[in-house]
């Protein structure tokens, strides 16, 4: 198709719009409060944060957990999400692509830092996959435990790990997990007895959490459950006369969280038929998405197309 530029200012505005939305597609505003000095004689149920750096880490953790909750929607129990929040808290900075400090506000008993955080959604999604959320969101996965020398205080840790990873022990399960502790080293192996040719998963670490996470991370990471959840496509909508229409449509797409998992405006172009927008989206419900797009575009004399990426 021949492309013609009718209004250079309009094209520049459209290009700027695309850059703006690409940069903010995964941004979240979060905040953390801290106290430089504790009020004399006052007690706290939860110890307050004591520095700006601690407040920043708290804001990062809050933003990452909010992003994870949006990805998971209703997957997992409340108890499991609490454990996930604790798990991500120690690893939040790993998922932060960039951040901007928006300001510090003085409070009666401290200060509040507000930051604009860009979370790496794809990396976070992979971590949730390794934790088993896409494979065990509705029903726990059973495994047959073959425990060696396990100390009494280990059972509490195992119970927590079962909830976090969505697992349940069952002697009849084909998945067999062997667990041993010797020489201050934890050894975990996992093999599927229903598939004789399957290679076992094996890991060692100086903590049960570490060895457990390595083995189950490899197991869940190689599964395809989350591929059935979304389909990655490019959405193109043609026919706008001003960039404002693209901006309004992008805002609306961001709100379609029941049918779209991710939305990212890739570019805006000027063509003979008007302005076109191109989005990279992950679809949760293709039929419902097409129905909404058809309803939206038909009322505005626009056209749309979906193409696999």
């Amino acid at each position: 198709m021949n492309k013609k530029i009718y209004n250079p200012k309009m094209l520049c505005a459209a290009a700027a719009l695309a850059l703006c939305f690409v940069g903010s597609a995964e941004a979240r505003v979060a905040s953390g409060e801290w106290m430089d000095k504790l009020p004399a004689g006052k007690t706290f149920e939860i110890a307050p944060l004591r520095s700006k750096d601690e407040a920043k880490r708290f804001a990062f953790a809050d933003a990452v957990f909010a992003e994870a909750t949006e990805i998971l929607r209703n997957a997992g129990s409340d108890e499991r999400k609490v454990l996930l929040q604790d798990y991500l808290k120690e690893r939040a900075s790993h998922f932060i692509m960039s951040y901007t400090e928006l300001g510090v506000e003085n409070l009666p008993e401290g200060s509040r830092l507000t930051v604009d955080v860009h979370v790496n959604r794809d990396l976070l999604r992979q971590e949730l996959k390794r934790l088993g959320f896409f494979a065990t969101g509705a029903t726990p996965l059973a495994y047959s435990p073959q425990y060696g020398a396990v100390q009494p205080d280990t059972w509490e840790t195992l119970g927590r790990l079962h909830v976090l990873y969505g697992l349940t022990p069952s002697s009849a399960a084909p998945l067999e997990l062997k667990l041993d502790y010797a020489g201050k080293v934890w050894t975990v192996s996992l093999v599927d007895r229903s598939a004789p040719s399957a290679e076992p998963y094996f890991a060692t670490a100086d903590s049960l959490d570490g060895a457990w996470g390595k083995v189950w991370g490899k197991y869940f990471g190689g599964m395809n459950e989350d591929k059935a959840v979304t389909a990655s496509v490019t959405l193109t909508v043609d026919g706008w006369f001003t960039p404002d229409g693209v901006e309004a449509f992008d805002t609306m797409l961001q709100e379609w969280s029941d049918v779209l998992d991710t939305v990212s405006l890739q570019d805006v172009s000027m063509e003979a038929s008007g302005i076109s927008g191109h989005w990279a989206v992950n679809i949760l419900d293709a039929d419902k998405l097409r129905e909404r797009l058809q309803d939206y575009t038909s009322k505005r004399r626009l056209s749309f197309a979906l193409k696999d990426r």
Side-chain angles (χ1 to χ4, degrees):
M1 179 181 294
N2 293 326
K3 296 185 179 181
K4 299 179 181 179
I5 301 177
Y6 291 105
N7 186 330
K9 291 183 179 180
M10 183 180 294
L11 182 59
C12 289
L17 174 66
L19 290 174
C20 173
F21 277 96
V22 168
S24 64
E26 299 170 355
R28 288 188 176 274
V29 175
S31 62
E33 299 177 7
W34 80 95
M35 292 182 177
D36 293 315
K37 296 181 180 180
L38 296 180
K42 187 171 182 178
T43 59
F44 301 88
E45 291 186 11
I46 300 176
L49 305 178
R50 298 302 309 279
S51 68
K52 182 179 177 181
D53 284 343
E54 286 188 7
K56 186 185 299 181
R57 289 194 292 271
F58 179 91
F60 287 173
D62 189 51
V64 170
F65 181 65
E67 194 76 28
T69 301
E70 182 176 292
I71 293 172
L72 294 173
R73 291 178 175 81
N74 296 321
S77 65
D78 291 342
E79 182 184 9
R80 189 176 185 185
K81 288 178 181 177
V82 169
L83 293 178
L84 173 64
Q85 187 173 23
D86 290 339
Y87 177 89
L88 293 175
K89 186 184 300 182
E90 302 301 321
R91 301 163 175 80
S93 61
H94 180 61
F95 305 102
I96 303 300
M97 298 175 66
S98 63
Y99 74 94
T100 302
E101 293 190 11
L102 300 180
V104 174
E105 177 185 359
N106 292 324
L107 302 176
E109 294 185 341
S111 305
R112 177 188 294 122
L113 170 69
T114 301
V115 292
D116 187 31
V117 184
H118 285 74
V119 179
N120 189 329
R121 190 181 178 99
D122 290 337
L123 188 62
L124 178 58
R125 185 179 178 84
Q126 286 301 311
E127 189 68 14
L128 295 174
K129 178 181 179 180
R130 288 172 51 82
L131 290 169
F133 275 90
F134 300 115
T136 66
T139 305
L141 177 69
Y143 76 92
S144 175
Q146 304 293 321
Y147 298 157
V150 176
Q151 301 299 316
D153 57 358
T154 301
W155 295 109
E156 183 178 347
T157 301
L158 283 171
R160 173 175 54 80
L161 292 172
H162 287 158
V163 175
L164 177 60
Y165 286 82
L167 303 168
T168 184
S170 172
S171 59
L175 272 178
E176 182 180 275
L177 182 139
K178 292 183 178 180
L179 171 65
D180 284 296
Y181 178 71
K184 298 183 179 181
V185 174
W186 289 94
T187 301
V188 179
S189 63
L190 182 67
V191 63
D192 187 354
R193 295 303 181 190
S194 66
S197 61
E199 291 290 329
Y201 298 92
F202 177 83
T204 61
D206 59 4
S207 69
L208 176 54
D209 287 70
W212 190 276
K214 289 178 183 178
V215 163
W216 286 109
K218 293 175 184 177
Y219 179 78
F220 287 129
M223 298 177 72
N224 296 322
E225 276 75 6
D226 64 332
K227 293 183 179 178
V229 175
T230 62
S232 299
V233 304
T234 298
L235 166 64
T236 300
V237 180
D238 302 304
W240 281 291
F241 293 104
T242 68
D244 291 343
V246 182
E247 181 178 0
F249 181 70
D250 184 90
T251 300
M252 185 178 66
L253 284 181
Q254 303 290 341
E255 297 172 352
W256 288 2
S257 59
D258 59 327
V259 296
L260 292 174
D261 181 51
T262 60
V263 179
S264 177
L265 179 59
Q266 301 298 293
D267 63 75
V268 179
S269 60
M270 175 73 74
E271 303 178 2
S273 58
I275 296 175
S276 297
H278 307 273
W279 286 262
V281 301
N282 283 350
I283 302 175
L284 295 170
D285 190 327
D287 291 339
K288 187 177 292 187
L289 174 62
R290 286 183 177 276
E291 181 181 336
R292 290 187 187 178
L293 289 173
Q294 183 61 42
D295 179 68
Y296 181 89
T297 56
S298 63
K299 294 177 179 178
R300 295 166 176 79
R301 296 185 179 180
L302 302 171
S303 62
F304 76 90
L306 294 167
K307 183 179 180 180
D308 290 339
R309 281 193 280 139

